[in-house]
């Protein structure tokens, strides 16, 4: 652990980068509309950035794990993302849209650096005993970003123009560069010697550990089902606003209500991080979200606001619990790819939920909300239901180590992958 690097520089950098990321999506939507007069342009840009992130996460995670100075790699990824946003802005309506979309795809490949890339480095910043509380603070930066990012995009675009909104987003990302650069380096002889396996082998190793570690597999699958439901809710929010609150814009404001509730809940959780086990939160959180979605089907303004407040109570701790399980279960030498792969899978699931919203939208208000609630119930069941003892491997059994694991275990100073970097179960 670096002597001069603590939790506060980490949180400041994470908050700036993630707020810039949350701001960039709405800013691109507004900039695309302003430059071309077509809302489809902004939607296409956002879709290109989102889809590409699903593919870039696992590869970036491998590179992060193979790097002796992961902070430098993270800095390069953040800088590349910011530069790509600037290039997108400068090429809008000046070159064929296909070229601009290709640049957006390139930016999207770096997107997981702002989420899983940061979080995977947290155990290098704080002692293991402080990790639960630090994880809650880390999750709060996501809540803060989702609360302020879209609002900042709208305010800046209204006051100074859509182009300035994109510039403000990339500026926030650039403000995170010093914090990323200063992140502690990898330790151990294996890290200093450099990788001894191929990228393809390391990719397989990351997916294999997720699949063969039951808590990781269940948490990943549950988070994906939950993200499908969240994608439906977010994409449906303008319709909810129009039908219940007489304004599509008011529907998007409801998302800020949920984000504020999630932030407040995580603030309380950070004060007592050991009150509830993360495994319990992983199935309780989606059930709370399902209940909130059912409350929203009442179709009254007060019920809808109450539903969004309740949704935040379920969503905020669920993210903290997911991070805690990954920190606990992920082998230290695979942590980067597990976090970024998980982020990519969640982005894919979220995009699927958003895509399903159109076909589900009918004159009846409740159908998309019922579908989203069903996804949350499936998320809870996915995590809560374990394999029967007859089908479960013997507790002492262990899958054959991958080449990457052989390398890490050959280094006496490297953490034992079976213990998750020394963090108890």
């Amino acid at each position: 652990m670096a002597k001069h690097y603590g939790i506060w520089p980490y949180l400041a950098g994470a908050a700036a980068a993630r707020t810039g990321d949350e701001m960039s999506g709405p800013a691109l939507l507004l900039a695309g509309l302003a430059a071309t007069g077509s809302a489809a342009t902004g939607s296409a840009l956002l879709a290109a950035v989102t889809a590409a992130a699903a593919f870039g996460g696992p590869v970036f995670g491998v590179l992060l794990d193979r790097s002796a100075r992961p902070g430098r790699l993270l800095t390069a990824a953040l800088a590349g993302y910011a530069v790509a946003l600037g290039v997108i802005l400068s090429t809008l309506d000046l070159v064929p849209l296909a070229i601009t979309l290709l640049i957006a795809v390139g930016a999207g490949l770096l997107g997981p650096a702002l989420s899983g890339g940061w979080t995977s480095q947290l155990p290098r910043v704080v002692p293991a005993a402080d990790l639960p509380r630090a994880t809650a603070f880390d999750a709060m930066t996501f809540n803060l970003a989702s609360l302020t990012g879209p609002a900042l995009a709208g305010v800046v675009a209204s006051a100074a123009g859509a182009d300035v909104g994109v510039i403000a987003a990339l500026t926030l990302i650039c403000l995170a560069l010093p914090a990323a650069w200063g992140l502690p380096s990898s330790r151990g002889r294996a890290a200093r010697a450099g990788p001894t396996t191929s990228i393809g082998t390391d990719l397989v190793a990351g997916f294999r550990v997720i699949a063969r570690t039951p808590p990781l597999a269940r948490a990943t699958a549950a988070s994906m089902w939950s993200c499908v439901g969240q994608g439906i809710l977010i994409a449906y929010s303008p319709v909810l606003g129009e039908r219940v609150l007489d304004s599509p814009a008011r529907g998007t404001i409801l998302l800020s209500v949920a984000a504020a509730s999630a932030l407040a809940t995580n603030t309380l959780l950070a004060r007592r991080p050991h009150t509830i086990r993360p495994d319990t939160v992983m199935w309780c959180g989606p059930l709370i979200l399902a209940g909130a979605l059912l409350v929203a089907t009442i179709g009254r303004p007060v019920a809808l606001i109450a539903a969004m407040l309740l949704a935040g109570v379920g969503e905020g701790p669920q993210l903290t619990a997911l991070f805690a399980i990954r920190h606990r279960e992920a082998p230290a030498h695979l942590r980067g790819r597990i976090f970024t792969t998980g982020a990519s899978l969640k982005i894919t699931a979220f995009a699927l939920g958003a895509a399903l919203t159109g076909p589900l939208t009918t004159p009846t208000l409740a159908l998309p909300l019922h579908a989203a609630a069903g996804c949350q119930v499936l998320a809870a069941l996915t995590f809560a239901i374990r394999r029967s003892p007859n089908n479960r491997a013997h507790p002492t059994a262990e899958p054959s180590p991958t080449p990457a694991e052989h390398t890490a275990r050959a280094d006496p100073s490297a953490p034992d992958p079976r213990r998750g970097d020394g963090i108890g179960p």
Side-chain angles (χ1 to χ4, degrees):
M1 189 184 311
K3 293 182 179 179
H4 303 291
Y5 196 100
I7 184 63
W8 298 115
Y10 170 94
L11 292 175
R18 289 163 180 167
T19 302
D21 185 35
E22 290 287 341
M23 187 178 180
S24 66
L28 284 175
L29 287 171
L30 295 172
L33 175 62
T36 65
S38 171
T41 300
S43 299
L45 288 171
L46 185 58
V49 171
T50 303
F55 297 99
V59 176
F60 182 77
V62 168
L63 297 176
L64 204 60
D65 286 334
R66 292 159 69 97
S67 175
R69 305 296 296 268
R72 308 294 170 85
L73 182 61
L74 188 58
T75 301
L78 295 175
Y81 191 83
V83 169
L85 289 177
V87 174
I88 290 170
L89 182 62
S90 63
T91 58
L92 272 175
D93 209 29
L94 296 178
V95 301
L97 180 60
I99 296 177
T100 305
L101 290 177
L102 283 175
I103 299 169
V105 168
L109 292 174
L110 301 172
L114 286 77
S115 52
W118 272 103
T119 302
S120 67
Q121 303 306 303
L122 186 57
R124 292 193 175 100
V125 175
V126 298
D130 296 336
L131 190 59
R133 186 166 181 261
T135 299
F137 282 131
D138 187 36
M140 287 166 61
T141 66
F142 282 94
N143 304 142
L144 179 65
S146 62
L147 175 63
T148 60
L152 280 174
V155 170
V156 173
S158 299
D163 290 359
V164 180
V166 178
I167 293 171
L170 68 88
T171 300
L172 278 172
I173 294 171
C174 289
L175 289 176
L177 295 179
W181 184 268
L183 282 167
S185 60
S186 299
R187 291 170 292 177
R189 289 194 299 273
R192 292 193 297 269
T196 59
T197 55
S198 68
I199 290 180
T201 299
D202 285 355
L203 277 172
V204 172
F207 281 105
R208 183 180 297 167
V209 168
I210 291 175
R212 291 186 176 182
T213 308
L216 273 179
R218 297 201 317 272
T220 300
S223 68
M224 291 177 67
W225 275 116
S226 187
C227 276
V228 174
Q230 291 172 25
I232 294 173
L233 175 61
I234 290 177
Y236 195 53
S237 61
V239 180
L240 281 174
E242 183 177 24
R243 295 183 180 180
V244 180
L245 304 175
D246 299 322
S247 169
R250 292 174 182 172
T252 58
I253 293 174
L254 288 172
L255 301 179
S256 295
V257 173
S261 176
L263 180 61
T265 305
N266 269 335
T267 301
L268 294 175
L269 186 64
R271 296 174 64 88
R272 297 181 179 272
H274 300 287
T275 302
I276 306 176
R277 295 182 68 247
D279 303 74
T280 303
V281 175
M282 278 302 298
W283 64 266
C284 287
L287 290 181
I288 294 174
L289 279 164
L293 290 161
L294 294 178
V295 171
T297 62
I298 296 174
R300 296 288 186 270
V302 173
L304 191 55
I305 294 171
M308 293 301 103
L309 289 170
L310 186 60
V313 171
E315 182 181 345
Q318 184 188 7
L319 183 62
T320 303
L322 177 63
F323 288 169
I325 290 171
R326 286 179 183 164
H327 283 309
R328 186 187 73 196
E329 301 290 340
H333 64 287
L334 300 176
R335 187 177 287 120
R337 74 200 74 170
I338 286 174
F339 269 90
T340 55
T341 297
S344 296
L345 292 173
K346 287 182 64 178
I347 290 171
T348 302
F350 181 90
L352 174 62
L356 289 173
T357 306
L360 290 171
T361 301
T362 66
T364 302
L365 179 74
L367 182 58
L369 296 173
H370 284 154
C375 290
Q376 299 298 344
V377 172
L378 284 173
L381 292 175
T382 298
F383 190 85
I385 297 177
R386 306 185 183 190
R387 291 180 296 173
S388 65
N390 292 333
N391 296 330
R392 190 181 304 163
H394 191 276
T396 60
E398 182 180 7
S400 299
T402 64
E405 289 169 340
H406 274 302
T407 300
R409 294 180 191 182
D411 178 11
S413 66
D416 185 347
R418 293 167 294 181
R419 297 189 296 111
D421 197 23
I423 302 170

